Amino acid sequence: MGASASDIAAVTPATRDRYVDLLRVASLGTVIAGHWLMAAVSTEGIGNLLAVVPPLQVLTWALQVMPVFFFVGGFSHALSYRSLARRTEGPVYAAFVRARLRRLLRPTLVFVAVWTAVALLAQLLGTGGGRLSGAALRLVTQPLWFIGIYLAMVALTPPLLKLHERHGWAAFGALAAAAAAVDLLRFAGGVPYAEFLNFAFVWLAVHQLGFLRADGRIRRPGALAAAGLAGAVALVAYGPYPLSMVGMPGEKVSNMAPPTLALLAHGIWLVGAVELLRAPAGAWLARPRVWRGVVAANGIAMTAFLWHLTAMLAVYAAQLGLGIALPEPAGAAWWAQVPVRFPAAAALTCVLVAVFRRFEAPGASGADPGSGPRAALGTALCLLGVLGLSTTGLGGLLEGHSATLIALPVTAPAAIGMALGGWLLVERSGTSRS
C-alpha cells in the first residue's frame, strides 16, 4: 500500500515549495470547471457556451490557466532533473524521461483503452453515429492535446535547462522572439504551416519561466504581470487576434490551436499574477489541514482531468434517460440546471477517480541511464500518438475516419498504435546502456 496523503503531508520537508503543488491542483481544477461550464449540450450536439454568448469570452482571460500548469511543469522538471543528475553517474536523460512519463502515460493509456472499447461497442451496436453520441466520441479525447504538449516539455527539458543555465532570461526571450517571428510569417507572410511551430515556441517559453522561478529569478512579478497583460490587450485590440484565449468553433484565427503571441502574453501575465499571490498563499498552506488537502488532490489530479468530461457526459446522458429535456444552451432553464449539473459531475468524477486512481500512483523507476535515443524516439511517438488522438476523436473507428495532424492525415487506430509503441520504447529504454 502507498503512503496516505496524511503520511506524506506529515513528512513534508520545510524546504518544499508548497505553493507549486497548490498551483498544479488549482490550474487543473479551473480547467475542469471551465470545461463543464463551456460545454453547451443540446439535442443538436455539443457546442461551446462562449460561442453562444460571446461577451463571456472575456472570462477566458482568467479561466484559461493552462499556462500556469506548464509554468509549474517547468519548475518541477528543473528540480527533478537536477536531483536525478546529482544522484546518478553518467547520462540521466532516459531515466528522467521514464520517471516523468510513467505517471503521465499509465492513466492516459488506461483512459484511451476504456474509451476505445466504448467507442467500438457503440459502433457495433449502431449507436455511435448520432449527433450527441458522435459529438461525445470526438469531444472526450480533445483535452489530450495538453498531455501531448507536456510530453514534448519533458523530452526537451534537458537541453532547454542547459540553455537556461547558460543564458537565463535571454533563453526565454529567444523563445518569445521566435513565437513573434512565427506570427509574422503567418499573418504578414502567409507562409503555410508556419503557425504550427508555435505549439513549441509558445508553450516552451511558458515552460522556461518555470526554470527561472526554480532559480529565484522572477524577482518582479508585478512588472511581469503588467507587461503581459498590456501586451495581450494591445495584441487583441490592434492585431489579428481574437478576444477568447480558448478555441472557438468556426473562428478563422484561434489563440489556442495553434497558439499565438497573444496567448504567450496572456501566459506571462498569469505567471506574474500567481507569483504575486505566493506569500499570502504560503501562510495558508502552512495549515496542516489545508496542506493535507493539497497533497491528496495532487495524487489524483491527472486522473480527475482525464475523466471529468466522461462524468459530465454521463450527467447529460442520465438527464436524457430520465426523460428530462435538454434546454436551449444559455437560456434561463439551462442556467437553472447548472447548480445541479456541477455537483453531479463532481460526484461522478470522484467515483471514476476512485476506480482509476491506482494507475496514477508512481511506479518503481530505476536510475539506470539506459538508452537516451530510444527514450527520445519513444517520447516522440507518444507525443504524436496522443496529439493525433486528440485530433481524430474515437468516432468512426471501423471506417478508418481520419483527421489532419499539422499536415498529415492520421486515424485513431494509428494514433493509439503510436502512443503504445512509444510507451514500450520508453519503458525498454532502461534495459540497455548507451
Side-chain angles (χ1 to χ4, degrees), residues 224-247:
L224 189 69
L229 184 58
V233 169
L235 288 168
V236 169
Y238 301 107
Y241 306 99
L243 173 66
S244 175
M245 291 298 165
V246 301

Side-chain angles (χ1 to χ4, degrees), residues 282-363:
W284 184 60
L285 288 167
R287 301 177 182 178
R289 182 176 298 179
V290 173
W291 178 235
R292 284 196 300 271
V294 172
V295 170
N298 262 289
I300 61 169
M302 185 55 59
T303 304
F305 175 80
L306 286 167
W307 292 98
H308 75 281
L309 285 180
T310 303
M312 182 204 72
L313 292 169
V315 169
Y316 279 107
Q319 182 174 341
L320 287 173
L322 292 171
I324 303 173
L326 296 179
E328 191 71 20
W334 189 90
W335 285 108
Q337 290 181 3
V338 168
V340 178
R341 282 199 306 270
F342 267 50
L348 281 174
T349 300
C350 289
V351 172
L352 291 167
V353 165
V355 172
F356 294 105
R357 64 178 297 178
R358 63 183 180 274
F359 298 106
E360 187 173 350

Side-chain angles (χ1 to χ4, degrees), residues 152-226:
M153 292 176 175
V154 170
L156 293 173
T157 285
L160 289 178
L161 188 56
K162 288 182 180 179
L163 285 177
H164 158 74
E165 291 168 347
R166 180 175 299 178
H167 301 292
W169 275 99
F172 164 78
L175 288 168
V182 166
D183 274 10
L184 280 175
L185 292 174
R186 175 185 182 182
F187 295 116
V191 178
Y193 302 116
E195 63 268 27
F196 293 103
L197 292 171
N198 268 348
F199 275 114
F201 292 137
V202 168
W203 291 125
L204 289 176
V206 175
H207 189 249
Q208 205 81 5
L209 287 172
F211 295 166
L212 291 161
R213 187 192 191 279
D215 289 346
R217 301 187 67 173
I218 300 180
R219 300 187 182 97
R220 300 180 63 190
L224 189 69

